[in-house]
Amino acid sequence: LIYLGDLARYTAQAAPKAAPAAAAAAAAAGPGQHPAAKQEWQRAAHCYRQAARVLPRSGNPHNQLAVMAVMTGDELRAVYHYARSLCVGIPFLTARENLLLLFEQNRARYGQYAAQRQQRQQQQQQQLSLGQLLSDVSTCYVRLSGLLFDRINQHEYQSVSADAAAALSAFLGHPAALDCLQRQVKADSMPMHLAVLSIFAVHNACSSGAERKASGSEAAAGSGGSYGDAAQRG
């Protein structure tokens, strides 16, 4: 199932670039993809989800779903799937490397957000689109998850957590927020992502180095060979 998902994802990535007028409508099919690739992109996600159901102890399927989320710019969903890839009986080792890379990329984005904080506070929240408010929630909570994961720059924790709470409050205060959340699939919604990231932070904090090393040994034994590792990096 994972290999079938990989083939469908590669097919979608290899599709012709979307025309500028159709770029927005094609976003769900992957970055810059032609609308015709949407079916292959959805088939890939379906295969990965089915693989997760067939073997819930394996972290590989969720790592693949995280890769897809990264390609569409959905950082919060990507961290959610990386977390699920690591918090299983057979964690996928590459997910940790991918997660650290994502946190590093997000750090720059959060820096831009923080630099504009004062300007944003002077604006009416209603002037910001729902999409922008949702993006702010993602940026802040991914940064907060990064601080809790690598335990570096802990002096930033108070300000980042305050920004995350403020961003979430601003989003929930938007008139269209409730409708947006109700249209999301409950098992793959923003509240679910935030709840899982909170559990993941506690799990990571309580896990000793020895436990993580033991999990890594088990993952290496059950990763299924180098093809899976290469697929994630690709």
Side-chain angles (χ1 to χ4, degrees), residues 64-199:
Q64 301 297 83
L65 287 167
V67 169
M68 294 184 71
V70 169
M71 294 178 66
T72 57
D74 193 340
E75 288 187 335
L76 186 62
R77 178 174 278 106
V79 176
Y80 161 78
H81 283 297
Y82 281 139
R84 293 198 60 178
S85 180
L86 292 170
C87 295
V88 289
I90 309 175
F92 198 78
L93 286 179
T94 310
R96 182 178 179 85
E97 301 172 13
N98 292 341
L99 186 56
L100 289 172
L101 177 60
L102 175 59
F103 284 148
E104 181 62 25
Q105 295 170 341
N106 167 264
R107 186 165 66 91
R109 274 186 283 276
Y110 173 77
Q112 296 175 351
Y113 169 87
Q116 300 172 354
R117 184 190 299 114
Q118 184 175 0
Q119 179 182 353
R120 286 173 176 272
Q121 290 175 347
Q122 295 173 349
Q123 293 178 333
Q124 294 291 332
Q125 292 297 344
Q126 288 78 4
Q127 294 178 350
L128 297 175
S129 68
L130 186 66
Q132 181 60 60
L133 292 173
L134 190 57
S135 176
D136 292 346
V137 172
S138 175
T139 298
C140 292
Y141 272 94
V142 170
R143 179 59 183 149
L144 184 61
S145 297
L147 291 176
L148 295 173
F149 184 76
D150 60 24
R151 306 177 194 179
I152 300 174
N153 298 319
Q154 290 297 298
H155 63 280
E156 298 180 13
Y157 176 79
Q158 292 296 334
S159 61
V160 174
S161 61
D163 282 345
L168 181 59
S169 178
F171 169 77
L172 294 176
H174 193 283
L178 180 59
D179 180 64
C180 174
L181 293 175
Q182 288 177 336
R183 285 187 283 104
Q184 294 179 357
V185 178
K186 291 183 179 180
D188 191 29
S189 63
M190 185 189 73
M192 174 64 76
H193 296 165
L194 297 181
V196 169
L197 293 191
S198 299
I199 296 171

